[in-house]
Amino acid sequence: RVLRDVMGGRYPWVAGMGAAGILKIDTDLDLAHGSYRVRGTLDLENSSLADPAHELSVRNIEVKLPFSLTTGSDGTAAPGPSERHPTKPGTLTGEGIDFRGIGIPKVHARVLLAENGFTLQDPMRIEFSGGSVNIEALRLDGLGSAHKKGKAVLEIANLDLAPLARAAIGKAIEGRLNGRFDRLALDDGTWGAAGNLGLQIQGGELRIVGIELEAPPSGAPSARCRVRAEGIPLDALSREFVQQPLKGTLDGELSSVRLAKGRLHTKGSLTFSAFDGKIVLSELQAGDLHGPNPFVQLDVDIKEIGLAALTSPLAFGQVSGVLEGRIGDLRIRPGFPYATVFDARLETVKRRG
């Protein structure tokens, strides 16, 4: 109740939380000329947390945290004078964490909360989904002020993608996720990231490299990266999305992917090897991503597609032959009519036999 009453008005997502435990705070407060300095310790024992709205629960929380914070007369965080007895690091521990079906047995961190900053003292390893996320460094400055700055280094090691995808979109996508971000940053409300991701799927691989992301507190985010797909099985991608999983592979490279002002631009192509032929997607674009009429636009080249393989899952019968052609400037929307603009040339071609 204390958590909801004190913080619920400022942070609406806190209002739905349920918490239990023993909280102890020992503080020493100094006030002078409109500024304050507070030192003390925060202890939280035998505590638990439940947030049904976000499907989050923590069975046990233990906090033993000395702290020292100073704020100047203008309301901004200010470093205090050198202390005779410097603040010592504390510990944060959570056990039995469950988030949308993803279980995390234990999280433990040794941290320092002093001089208006929060610093991870030792690398922290979080094991879940058959792998781990390793936070090698973390620092957040400006606590108590409106202008906060932070940075972190993070590594993703061999996470099973299926439960993560199921928690995010309700569908499981098979694979193992690896990656590293040498820069995760926060500066006055703007989040930034730089790193690489790799996804291994049944012998195939999807690599997203040179990721640069910037998300301001207001306005559209911007990003850029490069994408390469090698031998990714289509059945692993489509199994939970269509009744009849697709057979074939996905290959290709997008040498440039740029997101800016709600528009996506790419250079390169992706090739679906399926139905005894190939379907090549190029000139992939998207627009109005944050507006009322989002769309995707692309060119589609169809090469040697076997109509028998394409129509075999259909209940009304089978069509034989080979299809080739091109659909230019195909524009797809999320609502009906789905395809609103395109220039198509499709034909069946003669083949022996």
Side-chain angles (χ1 to χ4, degrees):
R1 181 176 178 180
V2 172
L3 181 68
R4 294 196 303 267
D5 292 346
V6 174
M7 302 184 65
R10 185 171 183 181
Y11 304 103
W13 52 272
V14 174
M17 286 186 176
I22 301 173
L23 174 65
K24 300 177 183 179
I25 302 178
D26 183 11
T27 62
D28 181 9
L29 178 64
D30 293 328
L31 296 172
H33 306 294
S35 64
Y36 75 82
R37 180 179 183 83
V38 57
R39 294 185 43 156
T41 57
L42 185 152
D43 291 330
L44 189 60
E45 301 176 351
N46 301 321
S47 302
S48 62
L49 177 68
D51 183 0
H54 295 92
E55 302 177 58
L56 170 67
S57 65
V58 185
R59 177 174 49 81
N60 183 50
I61 304 172
E62 300 282 341
V63 178
K64 299 184 181 300
L65 187 61
F67 60 86
S68 174
L69 301 170
T70 302
T71 297
S73 58
D74 59 355
T76 60
S82 59
E83 303 179 24
R84 182 177 179 183
H85 302 289
T87 303
K88 296 180 180 180
T91 58
L92 307 174
T93 304
E95 297 177 309
I97 303 169
D98 187 284
F99 178 63
R100 296 186 176 181
I102 299 173
I104 303 176
K106 184 176 181 179
V107 173
H108 179 78
R110 184 169 169 267
V111 301
L112 178 65
L113 182 58
E115 302 299 341
N116 304 308
F118 179 93
T119 307
L120 183 66
Q121 296 292 283
D122 304 307
M124 180 172 64
R125 179 183 175 92
I126 306 173
E127 296 183 349
F128 65 100
S129 194
S132 65
V133 170
N134 306 310
I135 304 176
E136 298 180 5
L138 172 65
R139 170 74 184 179
L140 179 62
D141 291 307
L143 299 180
S145 73
H147 187 178
K148 295 179 177 61
K149 296 184 66 174
K151 58 183 180 180
V153 177
L154 179 146
E155 183 179 43
I156 302 168
N158 205 35
L159 291 180
D160 184 355
L161 184 63
L164 301 180
R166 190 180 296 112
I169 62 176
K171 302 288 186 179
I173 300 176
E174 298 180 9
R176 288 283 173 176
L177 181 65
N178 292 273
R180 181 177 178 85
F181 288 87
D182 287 312
R183 185 181 71 88
L184 293 172
L186 170 66
D187 190 352
D188 198 18
T190 296
W191 292 90
N196 304 296
L197 287 172
L199 178 61
Q200 289 74 42
I201 306 176
Q202 294 184 3
E205 184 177 27
L206 177 67
R207 298 180 61 194
I208 307 174
V209 300
I211 300 171
E212 295 182 13
L213 171 67
E214 186 172 286
S218 60
S222 62
R224 64 175 59 196
C225 66
R226 303 187 303 278
V227 178
R228 184 175 181 84
E230 296 181 355
I232 299 176
L234 295 181
D235 63 335
L237 298 178
S238 63
R239 186 172 297 123
E240 291 209 9
F241 295 89
V242 295
Q243 188 173 5
Q244 185 76 23
L246 302 176
K247 297 184 181 299
T249 59
L250 170 64
D251 298 88
E253 182 172 3
L254 299 178
S255 59
S256 173
V257 179
R258 294 185 295 110
L259 174 66
K261 298 180 180 179
R263 294 189 64 91
L264 178 74
H265 298 271
T266 72
K267 294 181 180 179
S269 64
L270 298 174
T271 299
F272 292 86
S273 300
F275 310 117
D276 302 326
K278 297 182 183 296
I279 300 173
V280 181
L281 310 183
S282 60
E283 300 296 332
L284 177 63
Q285 303 179 47
D288 201 25
L289 295 177
H290 305 284
N293 300 301
F295 66 88
V296 173
Q297 183 171 310
L298 68 159
D299 292 340
V300 182
D301 286 286
I302 300 171
K303 303 178 180 180
E304 299 279 341
I305 293 297
L307 291 176
L310 179 63
T311 59
S312 61
L314 303 180
F316 60 78
Q318 190 178 76
V319 179
S320 61
V322 176
L323 180 68
E324 288 196 346
R326 177 180 175 81
I327 305 175
D329 298 324
L330 173 62
R331 180 170 292 196
I332 303 172
R333 305 190 318 170
F336 185 84
Y338 302 106
T340 57
V341 178
F342 61 90
D343 179 14
R345 178 189 59 80
L346 300 173
E347 61 182 354
T348 56
V349 295
K350 294 183 178 180
R351 289 291 182 269
R352 287 185 177 181

